[in-house]
Amino acid sequence: MNFNHDKIERNLGILLILTMLAISAGGLVEIVPLFFIKETVEKVEGVRPYSALELRGRDIYIREGCYTCHSQMIRPFRDEALRYGHYSLAAESKYDHPFQWGSKRTGPDLARVGGKYSNDWHTQHLTAPRSLVPQSVMPNYPWLATTALDYSDIEKRMMALRTTGVPYSKTNAEYERNVKEFGETVAKSLHIPDAEKNLIAQAQLGNYDTNPDNITEMDALVAYLQMLGTLVDFKKYDDDYFVKFR
Amino acid sequence: MSEEKVKGPTTTGHVWDDDLQELTNPLPRWWIWGFYITFVFTVVYWLFYPAWPIGSGFTKGVPGLNSITYTATTVDGKEVEKTTHWNMRSKYMVEMNELHAAQKQWFDKVAATPYEDVAKDADLMQFVNSAGKTLFSDNCAPCHQAGGQGKIGFSPNLTDDHWQYGGTYEEISHTIVAGRQGYMPPFKEVLKDEQIGQLANYVLSMSGEPHDAAAATAGAALFQSETAACYYCHGADAKGRTQMGSANLTDKIWLWADIPAEKTAEAKVDAVKKIISGGLARGVMPYWNERLKPEQIKLLTVYVHDGLGGGK
């Protein structure tokens, strides 16, 4: 039988299968090894999954499309280090699904924005950026501070991430495992049955939107922004410690 | 393309729509060679750069072919020279070493010169102003505004000679290193609305704003009394205490109550009343000792004190 161009091009089924085979060969060679390379994920202390409130904030960040203008990936270049701080580590986004690295920077990188400004500043800036930075092209997000945060499905959101391997705990055994790995305070914040209680407590204590009376979407988003890039204490490592992972 | 070639016999052989045929002319020679050269290039690349994933690790290139040497600083501040294979992060170390070397003479000079003398050295001050402007734009301008003029209701003006937390080099440096957080308790539970009104009139009277004289006199007594105890933080002279950043209430400079923008006397009184009844906890100046290096903070201190002006 002669199996030639003619046959393939006239037979839709074969064409489809062969096209998929050709494309996935490239994909497999590039992607599969990444699941096995452990040496490139830096061994650092401090990285933990998001608390319930931060997680809701992250979901709002994605919902509002902040990533269309902001990256969260400081590359190992001199000018980036001078402006944004230490370059981002793979380990710092190991619990991010999907990660927010991005490549579009209409606004500045946000990977280490945590602690740089006050809660008050973030609330005002998100509501009306031009009131603080006159030349800004960032849109106003006035509804964040007036919309009550919907956290009725927070447990489901954490369960979904648990399925992808994020160590949120559901059972006591899982909780104990987290106590060993992250310490008690963090382990408590990762416990799914307490999610709602923890979320309310963090929002009230932190008072991120500078209005103590209610829990708004602003509380969640600012809680998220204020922890970005703050988990790893770089003073604990030689400044070339991370070289060996590349 | 010439006529003969189209008529030539080299087609794929199949015919579409009666007379549509596909030629199989060979690709240009230069293109084919270009294609082969990319193969050679990848092999060379594997020798020089991290490339193939193998098991839990990856190939790092042939040792010796791609080594790179940089100076690292250890946790306890020791400088060590290291050699490793080329990668983005070792290259970054070299870049940072070069930057450090290029700026070293200037930063060393700033570090070694007493604050007072930096401003007197024109060359050094030029460096402070250019490096300080960049640092200020990246870190401080979103709050204190591009020229450091501040914004009523958010952040103090750094260009005038009024300093809530003190305007000496040491005090400014401390503000930047450790941050500041002004706190004034709310008085709405402790004082009656009438008393708050009297205090507001007194506060306005001190800076020559329109006020009710009788109310202001009653307010003055309250200010010094144990009931309101304003004097405790703002001082008996109401000029404020720099240790806690309590505002000087005798000058015309306002940070939280936007008095200049209020048109009527009633609105001015209301603005001050709002501060007294609600208190203040919004004045958060972040700390920078983890984000900026000591030499950068010293440079910014001089920039704020002398570059923006008004330092004491």
Side-chain angles (χ1 to χ4, degrees):
Chain A
M1 194 187 102
N2 98 4
F3 194 73
N4 60 16
H5 247 268
D6 205 18
K7 278 253 168 49
I8 300 174
E9 285 179 25
R10 282 172 200 275
N11 191 324
L12 205 58
I14 299 181
L15 182 67
L16 210 68
I17 291 170
L18 291 180
T19 309
M20 281 190 333
L21 274 181
I23 293 174
S24 46
L28 287 173
V29 169
E30 286 195 2
I31 296 165
V32 170
L34 298 183
F35 286 92
F36 300 100
I37 303 189
K38 296 275 179 275
E39 271 179 33
T40 55
V41 181
E42 306 86 356
K43 291 177 190 60
V44 280
E45 279 171 40
V47 181
R48 58 156 174 85
Y50 298 112
S51 73
L53 185 66
E54 293 155 6
L55 180 62
R56 269 314 268 123
R58 200 188 103 95
D59 291 347
I60 292 166
Y61 182 91
I62 295 172
R63 182 192 76 194
E64 298 296 348
C66 311
Y67 59 83
T68 55
C69 287
H70 292 287
S71 58
Q72 287 188 25
M73 158 61 81
I74 304 166
R75 296 170 292 180
F77 301 144
R78 174 167 81 179
D79 50 330
E80 303 224 346
L82 286 178
R83 175 155 184 201
Y84 301 122
H86 198 287
Y87 54 76
S88 296
L89 305 178
E92 286 179 295
S93 44
K94 69 177 167 184
Y95 298 126
D96 258 0
H97 300 283
F99 57 73
Q100 298 299 318
W101 300 343
S103 58
K104 179 75 176 76
R105 281 184 184 162
T106 302
D109 188 277
L110 297 181
R112 298 208 187 282
V113 82
K116 186 178 175 196
Y117 302 119
S118 59
N119 296 343
D120 196 29
W121 186 89
H122 280 297
T123 303
Q124 176 67 22
H125 181 255
L126 286 165
T127 309
R130 270 156 301 282
S131 66
L132 291 171
V133 186
Q135 71 279 23
S136 178
V137 295
M138 177 162 143
N140 298 343
Y141 294 91
W143 55 87
L144 296 173
T146 53
T147 311
L149 181 69
D150 176 6
Y151 46 82
S152 55
D153 56 0
I154 184 65
E155 296 192 8
K156 287 194 193 132
R157 288 171 192 265
M158 291 167 89
M159 285 299 286
L161 283 171
R162 180 172 166 275
T163 326
T164 69
V166 180
Y168 289 121
S169 60
K170 205 178 157 217
T171 62
N172 268 344
E174 285 171 356
Y175 171 77
E176 291 304 331
R177 177 206 63 199
N178 280 350
V179 172
K180 278 206 200 79
E181 184 165 354
F182 301 105
E184 197 174 329
T185 327
V186 173
K188 277 189 178 144
S189 73
L190 305 181
H191 201 43
I192 297 176
D194 295 338
E196 203 168 307
K197 195 183 76 190
N198 288 335
L199 182 147
I200 297 171
Q202 192 188 347
Q204 278 170 351
L205 186 72
N207 187 20
Y208 297 93
D209 67 353
T210 59
N211 174 358
D213 301 331
N214 51 13
I215 300 178
T216 61
E217 295 190 335
M218 187 68 86
D219 277 305
L221 185 55
V222 174
Y224 169 65
L225 291 172
Q226 289 290 39
M227 62 76 67
L228 285 180
T230 60
L231 296 180
V232 175
D233 180 1
F234 287 96
K235 286 209 185 80
K236 286 191 193 158
Y237 304 95
D238 297 350
D239 69 353
D240 73 328
Y241 169 71
F242 302 101
V243 168
K244 62 172 182 254
F245 299 97
R246 283 293 174 277
Chain B
M1 225 181 272
S2 69
E3 283 287 306
E4 304 93 78
K5 265 194 186 159
V6 178
K7 284 183 194 136
T10 49
T11 72
T12 52
H14 48 259
V15 183
W16 312 84
D17 289 345
D18 293 342
D19 60 353
L20 259 187
Q21 297 187 39
E22 202 180 337
L23 294 175
T24 57
N25 285 339
L27 289 161
R29 214 18 78 83
W30 66 264
W31 196 96
I32 308 258
W33 277 110
F35 186 55
Y36 292 145
I37 288 170
T38 62
F39 280 64
V40 178
F41 175 81
T42 49
V43 175
V44 175
Y45 187 96
W46 298 338
L47 301 178
F48 281 92
Y49 298 101
W52 282 98
I54 295 169
S56 69
F58 52 92
T59 62
K60 302 198 161 101
V62 177
L65 267 188
N66 68 346
S67 38
I68 194 164
T69 302
Y70 59 82
T71 311
T73 313
T74 63
V75 179
D76 22 78
K78 276 205 285 290
E79 297 205 336
V80 263
E81 193 152 288
K82 288 202 185 159
T83 300
T84 178
H85 66 279
W86 191 103
N87 64 39
M88 283 307 298
R89 292 177 180 182
S90 51
K91 180 75 171 48
Y92 166 85
M93 291 302 298
V94 174
E95 272 185 29
M96 293 309 274
N97 288 166
E98 283 164 7
L99 173 74
H100 189 68
Q103 292 191 333
K104 192 173 164 19
Q105 53 154 330
W106 291 107
F107 271 117
D108 280 359
K109 211 167 163 197
V110 172
T113 312
Y115 283 123
E116 287 75 12
D117 298 341
V118 177
K120 290 183 199 137
D121 183 332
D123 280 350
L124 205 50
M125 206 48 207
Q126 201 178 354
F127 171 70
V128 166
N129 277 332
S130 72
K133 193 167 194 298
T134 313
L135 277 174
F136 195 85
S137 312
D138 284 350
N139 298 294
C140 324
C143 289
H144 291 286
Q145 307 297 291
Q149 74 275 23
K151 191 175 170 62
I152 291 192
F154 277 96
S155 57
N157 185 337
L158 303 179
T159 63
D160 59 17
D161 58 2
H162 166 269
W163 298 93
Q164 233 177 303
Y165 293 93
T168 64
Y169 290 107
E170 288 72 20
E171 286 164 321
I172 293 176
S173 168
H174 189 261
T175 298
I176 303 174
V177 166
R180 301 282 191 184
Q181 187 157 7
Y183 175 74
M184 167 165 146
F187 285 90
K188 57 174 176 284
E189 311 284 327
V190 190
L191 300 174
K192 293 205 238 358
D193 190 57
E194 192 199 348
Q195 293 174 307
I196 294 180
Q198 291 165 341
L199 281 163
N201 274 290
Y202 173 58
V203 168
L204 286 168
S205 73
M206 285 188 282
S207 42
E209 296 287 345
H211 59 277
D212 176 331
T217 314
L222 264 173
F223 194 91
Q224 309 293 350
S225 73
E226 290 306 317
T227 334
C230 313
Y231 78 91
Y232 184 77
C233 292
H234 289 280
D237 58 0
K239 290 210 163 121
R241 297 179 198 266
T242 50
Q243 303 96 298
M244 60 164 73
S246 51
N248 180 345
L249 301 176
T250 64
D251 60 16
K252 286 189 171 297
I253 294 167
W254 299 91
L255 176 52
W256 303 106
D258 194 355
I259 300 304
E262 303 294 358
K263 296 275 175 295
T264 66
E266 291 84 61
K268 287 181 201 273
V269 172
D270 281 347
V272 179
K273 275 177 76 176
K274 217 173 124 200
I275 304 282
I276 303 174
S277 55
L280 285 167
R282 293 172 50 213
V284 179
M285 158 78 186
Y287 57 91
W288 297 89
N289 61 334
E290 287 189 359
R291 211 169 258 281
L292 301 176
K293 298 202 186 67
E295 63 267 25
Q296 293 176 310
I297 291 182
K298 177 154 187 193
L299 193 141
L300 265 174
T301 303
V302 180
Y303 180 75
V304 169
H305 188 282
D306 302 294
L308 297 177
K312 295 201 165 154

